[in-house]
């Protein structure tokens, strides 16, 4: 996937100030793909709200969605936290009450998207 010039025009202004231009390119691409209804907001590896990589802002209260089970433990009706290890690339989810990782599609989605965004961010830092 690449960023088409038309997409940059339409979605790029919001990210004009971002110093990380690779992140900006992913944000623009995902905004455009989501706009075409080809990508779920919850499958993104970049966050439209916080203008960051998904793993960088997953700890924000905005990313607790009790209805879908994102960062939410249903049995406890409690929030779950996400631990991100930038060195090993490991991501884990744990309920603040029972300590278990909620075995739900939402948790698997968080693990998948955060691991992918971590990998993309590390790729961006690599000298080229
Ligand atoms: Zn966010
Ligand atoms: Zn729990």
């Amino acid at each position: 996937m690449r960023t088409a010039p038309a997409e940059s025009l339409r979605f790029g202004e919001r990210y004009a100030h971002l110093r990380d231009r690779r992140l900006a390119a992913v944000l623009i691409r995902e905004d455009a793909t989501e706009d075409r209804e080809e990508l779920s907001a919850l499958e993104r590896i970049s966050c439209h709200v916080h203008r960051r990589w998904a793993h960088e802002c997953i700890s924000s209260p905005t990313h607790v969605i009790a209805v879908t089970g994102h960062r939410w433990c249903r049995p406890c009706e409690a929030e779950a936290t996400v631990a991100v290890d930038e060195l090993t690339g490991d991501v884990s989810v744990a309920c603040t009450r029972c300590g278990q990782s909620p075995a739900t599609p939402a948790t698997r989605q968080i693990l998948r998207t955060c691991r992918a965004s971590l990998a993309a961010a590390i790729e961006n830092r690599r000298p080229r």
Side-chain angles (χ1 to χ4, degrees):
M1 277 207 289
R2 59 189 185 82
T3 309
E7 292 175 351
S8 289
L9 267 181
R10 179 147 175 231
F11 300 99
E13 197 174 338
R14 193 163 182 273
Y15 309 114
H17 71 288
L18 272 186
R19 282 206 309 171
D20 185 342
R21 297 317 297 164
R22 298 285 301 276
L23 169 60
V26 173
L27 279 161
I28 292 166
R29 195 180 69 206
E30 291 197 331
D31 277 4
T33 315
E34 197 189 329
D35 194 63
R36 290 196 302 268
E37 297 183 31
E38 291 168 9
L39 176 70
S40 153
L42 297 168
E43 278 294 345
R44 295 177 59 128
I45 66 165
S46 69
C47 176
H48 176 82
V49 175
H50 299 105
R51 304 170 211 219
R52 306 195 69 130
W53 294 109
H55 69 280
E56 290 179 333
C57 62
I58 188 71
S59 58
S60 159
T62 307
H63 291 282
V64 176
I65 315 171
V67 172
T68 55
H70 286 83
R71 281 194 48 210
W72 190 253
C73 179
R74 283 208 175 133
C76 299
E77 296 188 57
E79 279 185 28
T81 53
V82 181
V84 177
D85 189 326
E86 298 225 9
L87 286 177
T88 63
D90 195 47
V91 181
S92 58
V93 180
C95 168
T96 51
R97 198 166 288 176
C98 69
Q100 299 291 306
S101 181
T104 59
T107 297
R108 288 191 287 278
Q109 189 167 47
I110 288 173
L111 296 175
R112 191 165 63 239
T113 53
C114 285
R115 281 176 187 146
S117 77
L118 192 52
I122 288 168
E123 181 69 28
N124 279 3
R125 281 202 290 269
R126 204 166 284 161
R128 41 189 53 245

